[in-house]
Every structure is written in C-alpha cells, then in structure tokens.
Amino acid sequence: MHAHSNVSDGTEKPADVMASAARAHLDVVALTDHDSTDGWAEASAAAGRTGVALVPGMEVSCRTSEGISVHLLSYLHDPAHPGLLEEITKAKQARQTRAERMVTLLAEDYPLTWDDVIHHVAPGATLGRPHIADALVAAGVVEDRSEAFASILTSRSRYFIPHYAPHPAVAVELIRAAGGVPVFAHPVASSRGRIVGERTYRDMIDAGLAGLEIEHRDNPEEGRDFLRRLAADNGLLVTGSSDYHGTGKPNLLGENLTAPEVLARIEDLGTGTAVVRP
Ligand code: AMP
Ligand code: ZN
Ligand code: FE
Ligand code: FE
C-alpha cells in the first residue's frame, strides 16, 4: 500500500514497479509517489500485463505549525480536484527551489553541481533529497542513499532546508474533499526527525483521517502499541507496507502487508477514482 516510482524518488518506472510487485507475488500494489499522480496512467496500463491490481495513490508531504514533518498517504482521490492539486503543485514547486538552495550550500563543501543532481531526476519528477543523495553517491562522497541520509542529508544537518508543505489536518480535509482515503504514513518514524504529539493526531482524526500505517519498518515497536490503541479507540484502519523505492532503499515489496478486508474498506471509502484490476 506504499510504493514509489521515478515519478518521485523511486528508481523504477511505474510499469516496472508493477512488474516488481508481480515478482514479489503481490496481488495488489499502491503507487504512492510524493506529491504526484503522474505515474497512475503508466501503472494502470501495466496491471493487465503483470496481473497485479493497482491502487492509485499519492504521498503528501505535510508540516505542523511546530515544523514537524508528516507524510500522509492518499488513496483513490480524484487527481483533478482543484484544492488538492493546488497544494501539491505548490509543494512540488517549493521542492525545486529548496533543492537548489540545498545544493548551493552543499557545493561549498562537496564536489556537487545542480546538473549532477538533475542527471538523476526523471523529467517532471517530484524532486527530493534522494536525488541529491544520488549525486553525492556518483561523486563518491557517500556509498549509498542510506549513508547520505544518516549524515549530510538528515533533517538535523546544516545543509537541510524545509520546503512548503500544507498542515496535515488541512491535507486530510482536502484528500477527503477529493474523494480520497487519508492514511498517516509511518507516524512514529523517529529516526527521520521529530514525531507529532496527541494534539496533531486529534486534529487529523477530527478532519477525517481514515487510517494509520502501523506495519512499516521505520515505526519502532514501542510506538506501534500506542498506534494500535489509537486505531482501536478511534475506529481507524491499520495498514502495513514496504515504502518501496526500487534500489534507492533496502525496503522490499511485500515486507509488510495489508489485510484484504482493510483494502475493501478503503475501496468503499474512496470515491475519487477506482482500483485498477488486471
Ligand atoms: P524529501 O522528500 O526531500 O524530504 O526526502 C525524503 C525522502 O527521502 C522520503 O521519501 C524517504 O523515503 C527518503 N529517505 C528518507 N530516509 C532515507 C534513507 N535512509 N535512505 C533512502 N531514502 C531515504
Ligand atoms: Zn520517497
Ligand atoms: Fe514517507
Ligand atoms: Fe514513502
């Protein structure tokens, strides 16, 4: 229920993500590129060929007023809904400016140019730190993306610059308005940066949050108990996923799974577009 293609910072084309899902013996996969639905058409067209059903999705970058990063998965929303489209377009443009500024800072200390970064970005793709990481790998500064994120590119690094992102409760409302199903991605992923407190969960639930991605390798075990209680107390769906990025991350398709009944509930709730079955 959470995979990236080169429409954002995954390393495989959308059709190849579908083929990889077939090789991983999955019957369904959700394509959830960052702030973009540009991969839906290609992935949909590959459903028949690969025998894998596609859940059209997206991962929306959000930020709380305290500056804490929240990733929100959206399933089955209308990709043309003006309010949601406006927010992700703003975020996508801000990601470009922010990446340029980060590269300017990095270039003071490392052999890195903007061209080196662009070399790793598919045309029109949503730019992210992973693309900067790829350029640092090519320059021999780090071994892989993971090493880059553990050092130079963490949110605590002096080269890190945030980009515009909507408030998570606002994004939940927009996803619902677009007929989508909002699920909080890796909510307690403390290794990535600060995590949100009860207040933000409350705001998101009140705005219409539908589920929590609990089975995700970045959620530490302690945090999962809290999330399971929160889900039970508030009638939230529980999902599990890999957050696959091709060769960009060690995460493997199918390393976490979502129950068929949960997907059925997501399909009932999602009215903006439909699951594409082979
Ligand atoms: P950005 O969207 O520019 O803030 O970068 C965040 C993206 O980097 C997320 O999509 C993550 O999947 C990816 N990312 C975070 N940590 C790592 C890591 N350790 N290795 C590879 N990619 C990562
Ligand atoms: Zn990513
Ligand atoms: Fe994420
Ligand atoms: Fe992701």
Side-chain angles (χ1 to χ4, degrees), residues 14-165:
D16 295 334
V17 172
M18 298 299 286
S20 295
R23 275 195 303 276
H25 306 290
L26 297 184
D27 50 0
V28 193
V29 70
L31 183 69
T32 56
D33 278 305
H34 299 280
D35 303 317
S36 177
T37 61
D38 290 354
W40 288 9
E42 185 184 316
S44 299
R49 202 168 353 109
T50 55
V52 176
L54 172 76
V55 181
M58 177 164 81
E59 186 173 18
V60 183
S61 300
C62 308
R63 204 164 50 251
T64 68
S65 31
E66 304 105 303
I68 301 173
S69 164
V70 167
H71 285 181
L72 190 61
L73 294 161
S74 173
Y75 300 115
L76 302 173
H77 65 272
D78 171 4
H81 182 271
L84 183 56
L85 191 56
E86 191 183 318
E87 280 301 320
I88 63 164
T89 304
K90 248 167 93 175
K92 224 182 132 173
Q93 284 164 354
R95 281 170 163 283
Q96 170 94 20
T97 323
R98 167 271 200 144
E100 288 171 8
R101 289 171 61 203
M102 282 185 69
V103 169
T104 303
L105 281 181
L106 285 159
E108 292 172 9
D109 299 326
Y110 298 101
L112 184 71
T113 67
W114 182 243
D115 277 351
D116 298 337
V117 175
I118 288 308
H119 181 72
H120 299 278
V121 186
T126 305
L127 259 163
R129 281 177 282 163
H131 300 113
I132 303 177
D134 290 345
L136 291 167
V137 172
V141 175
V142 289
E143 198 66 43
D144 53 23
R145 284 186 179 183
S146 300
E147 190 189 336
F149 271 89
S151 56
I152 309 173
L153 295 181
T154 86
S155 55
R156 299 155 180 115
S157 149
R158 68 181 200 84
Y159 306 104
F160 177 80
I161 294 172
H163 61 80
Y164 169 80

Side-chain angles (χ1 to χ4, degrees), residues 4 9 34 130 245:
H4 298 265
D9 53 10
H34 299 280
H245 280 70

